[in-house]
Amino acid sequence: MSGGMTFQDMMIRLSQYWASRGCVIALPFDLEVGAGTMCPETFFRVLGAAPWRVAYVQPSRRPADGRYGENPNRLVKHTQLQVILKPPPDDVQDLYLDSLESIGINLREHDVRFEEDNWESPTLGAWGVGWQVMLDGLEITQFTYFQQCGGIDLDPVSVELTYGLERIAAFLQNVNNVFDVQWNELTRYGELRLKEELEISVYDFEAADPDFCRQEFDLCEKEALRLLSVWKREKRLVGQERKEAAKERAGREPAANGSGPSSPPWADPKRFPLQKVFELCLKCSHLFNILDARGAISVTERAGLIGRVRRLACRVAEIDVQRKARAMEAQPA
Amino acid sequence: MTAKHTTSLLLEIGCEEIPARFLEAAQRDLGDCIAKALAQARLMGESSVAQTYSTPRRLVVHVPSILLKQPARTEEVTGPPVKAAFDSLGNPTRAAESFAAKYGKQVADLRRVTRPKGEYLSLEVSEEGRDTLQVLVEVLPSAIGQLTFPKSMYWTSKSGVRFVRPIRWILALMGEGASAQVIPFEFAGLKSGNETRGHRILGPGGVPVDGFARYAQTLRERGVEFDPQWRRKLLRLFIDASLRTEGTGKTADLARKVFYPAGSLADYIARAEGLQKEMETLPKPVDLTIVTDAELETWHVNSTETPRALVGHFNERFLRLPREVLVTVMRDHQKYFAVEDGEGHLRPCFVAVLNTRTEDESLIKRGHERVLAARFTDAEFFWQADQRVSLRDRAPMLARVIYQEKLGTYADKVNRTLLLCREIFQQLPASLGITSAKKHAALEAIQLCKCDLTTQMVQEFTELQGIVGGLYAQAQGQSAEVAEAIYDHYKPGNMEDSCPRSVVGCLVALSDKLDTVVAGFWAGLDPTGSSDQFGLRRAGNGVVKIAAERLPGLHLDGLAHRHLSTGVGAEPNSPIERRVKDFLQERVEYYLREVVKLRYDTTRAVVNSSLGWSDPSDAVLRGKALESLIDSADYRALSLAAKRTRNILMKSAADEEAGMNHLAPELMKEAEEQSLYDAFTSIQKRLVELEARSDYEAAFRELGGMRQPIDGFFDQVLVMAEQPEVRANRLALLSAINTQVFSRLADLSEVAADDGGAEKAGASENRRGG
């Protein structure tokens, strides 16, 4: 090992740093995601007015970036450290730079630049304005003032910091190949992950059955839409029709108009499994990425599939915002 | 204006890093907003100028001289009309009274003024000049609020200010030195103050200043060169220094000598100049220069506060990758300058620009080298992976790549382009000597030229489309002719760019671009005003440039006509054809004016002639020939005669006499009429011969022979004679002269008839000859 912090120490130090700045240290999300932004701790929490600070490590999968473990710098599954600061403090850039010092980067010996890079996730209906932070020419962090998520304008805005941990570790340890990074003093990154990189790449680029992926995409979307359709019916009842519905329920049998069974108990807004709708949406997103890496998507189809995932994400965001608004109304009473 | 009547203004808006591409405009716009607001507030004196500066973290306006007190002003305010101001008894109405009351006056104080619509009450209101400080407090925040950006953001809540990036401090000072005071206002939730901030690392924290002099010195001491012009000088100096001292270990020594400590501006400049001189005396260890790149240089000027440069190295094995790929990776992805030797060969090194200074740059250098090695390794991976499927085997994949919704896939585009290219073969003059082998190569290149869109290399480096295809074609054993044509087929990228190198490349590029234009218009993608999303203007310019310079004898309107029906399947005589042809004519005019540098009137004369614009190379020859003679007295006179001829013909057009009758020489009674006819027939005969040889200079000289006979004719002969058959015969003569002589090669009536008229757009249309 050539000096510099181990990969695990880096995760620990950064977590400690952000914990000491009031962040909840959350668990990594247990689904395949393309980025830390897709985790509920970001997606749901940046919506609405409640302040929030969180940091978590998130393994993130990007099938198209797979290189069978042969490329010293590209990974199909890389590790992000995701930080959300809502609302952003005035000295947010300084806070960020201090975090670099906390993992042993002496800023006086390096060149740190904030280069324009406006992040966008078309599948999540999310975008922001900001920079890629460059350390001696290496992109180490995406620094974003989140403007919209799930198609909804954010108010207040959140700052999202996404550190690319492998790159930073290789940099700190002065190794040219990410697989040579020391995970701890005894174990190298490659020992833990090389086989996995190869196998995921083989599946994504060669072995994946596009028809299966397409069917799974359709099924996940169908299930999500089924859940959403129930919320839709419930929501209609909220307004003017609420009284009539109550009368109906009290007086006679539910209206026998052939529109299907009455609402299930989980249609209750407080119990509605919105989280699961979101998870299904994330599954679609990942399946789309595999199909894309596989080269199985034409340009027109591509736009269509992205649109389908985005519609789910936007619907989820919309419902989440409605629920939060309702909860706010309920509070004073 | 004496000094005590003026003061100065310094405004600095401190931001988080403003994107380099917006910085120049932001600096200029803020200066304009402030200058305009100060002028409106009557604070700009005669000699007042707003000087502007910027770095990624600040926008700065310094007005060295503004008025210390706003001058008083009087203003005439118009009230209600007199008719409404007094009743029938002459007593003031409510309207009159409330107008007076509004300004604290009596109706008796009001005057009467006459306006175009009648008599009105009016009042002179005088306004005291206010203190400049008070005015600035109001004016500055509203001026800053008027700034707009191509992309702006919120950074706290939606109710907050939008700006290009978050604003973190505002420095607003009036006056210099002991008399300096803060102009107190609030903007974007910040209170203005007297503090600036230095470089993030080299001079962090707020520092109070008391005017521009101190401001400039403070920033330079704290690692910020706030003047972009100076940053550009420093950048060039450091790039030069880093290359000259490369391998000698002297860079740091030299730099230390000059830039520690910063000191005053005068010192700084003197030291910088000293360094330059010292460098020039240094022996050059190797002959290295950066690959010049003005855009990249400007980007660095606008993304640094304290530019420095260092030379890094990469493994020689990467030089096996094509230069184009290496330069693109260095320039577009890492913002490095590529380095070449005296013979223009790339060297395995690069120049990186830093925004900081350290005693030991080796750590930073190692970082850049590692990143670049990784990028090159990636490019190597793409290169090898892409080679597994040849361009030919990629052709079927184009059926899955959409070109445009209405126009189908790239496979469809390739098929249309092949058809068009075959049309061109039909038309090509034999004189170009294009062999059937070359024609075959062109068709082959068209089939392969879009295949690189399916490669990973182009998906990663889109700016290399075409180039990558050409390189792959070469690597895959295609003939040099085919590979080169693919490589070049996006050329010319603009009017300054060169055409494809080979004639095969020109055929491919012209076919591809003309299809883009014709099919684009068919799909309704016409460019409008400043918007041209599909790039039709650029494609049209390329078509004209290639036709004019490399494929003489091609007739664009005929090709467009054929391609509309056979290529894209438009209805015959559809209105689209008119639009396409008007568009191509516009592009030819643009080319004649902007590239050939013909005068406005010459250009109009050439494109409006019978031979027209359709063969751009021929239009160029005619335009140049005409322009060599156009300033002679003969031509000015001829132009007048041509205008007069046209006017007469236009007036008589209603009679439908002109040109309908055959010329009857026996009806020509007057001597001048007869000699005009003789001159016409002999000159016209010569013109036909000269035109066939494209000897346009001789033709235009020949045409000069018309001057005396036509002038004589107009002097002595009445065109509108009493006898209908004589009149008709004279009109027929003029009509023949007009079509076969005056407007055959160039429409002489378009030529400006006096000196200097040529420069004015539309001048020839506004003047009447004869």
Side-chain angles (χ1 to χ4, degrees), chain A residues 71 73-74 90 93 108 111 113 115-116 129-131 136-137 145 147 153 155 157 171 174 176 295, chain B residues 16-17 21 153-154 156-158 165 168 200-201 334 353-355 358 368 370 374 378 400 460:
Chain A
N71 183 295
N73 261 305
R74 288 221 191 185
D90 290 350
Q93 277 185 311
R108 299 196 70 87
D111 185 25
R113 306 272 283 271
E115 276 182 16
E116 180 192 16
V129 168
W131 310 272
D136 302 344
Y145 284 89
Q147 306 281 294
D153 287 346
D155 194 6
V157 164
F171 180 91
N174 192 24
N176 290 323
Chain B
E16 295 182 359
E17 279 75 354
R21 65 192 170 114
M153 61 174 288
Y154 301 110
T156 47
S157 71
K158 270 182 79 180
R165 284 294 184 274
R168 292 305 179 200
R200 263 191 201 293
I201 306 299
Q334 288 302 128
V353 174
L354 319 182
N355 180 37
T358 61
H368 283 287
R370 195 170 35 215
D378 236 13
R400 291 204 316 234
E460 182 82 2

Side-chain angles (χ1 to χ4, degrees), chain B residues 389-396 398 410-411 413-415 417-418 440-455 458 465-474 476-479 481-487 489-490 508:
Chain B
V389 184
S390 72
L391 288 184
R392 184 166 301 287
D393 291 338
R394 287 175 187 275
L398 292 179
Y410 270 96
K413 177 163 177 50
V414 166
N415 287 332
T417 309
L418 286 170
H440 184 76
L443 296 176
E444 179 75 7
I446 289 172
Q447 272 166 339
L448 300 179
C449 69
K450 300 299 179 189
C451 292
D452 67 355
L453 295 175
T454 67
T455 64
V458 168
Q465 59 180 357
I467 292 172
V468 163
L471 296 169
Y472 284 169
Q474 193 184 15
Q476 290 161 12
Q478 292 289 337
S479 72
E481 216 152 35
V482 170
E484 203 175 87
I486 296 173
Y487 187 103
H489 86 279
Y490 287 98
V508 175

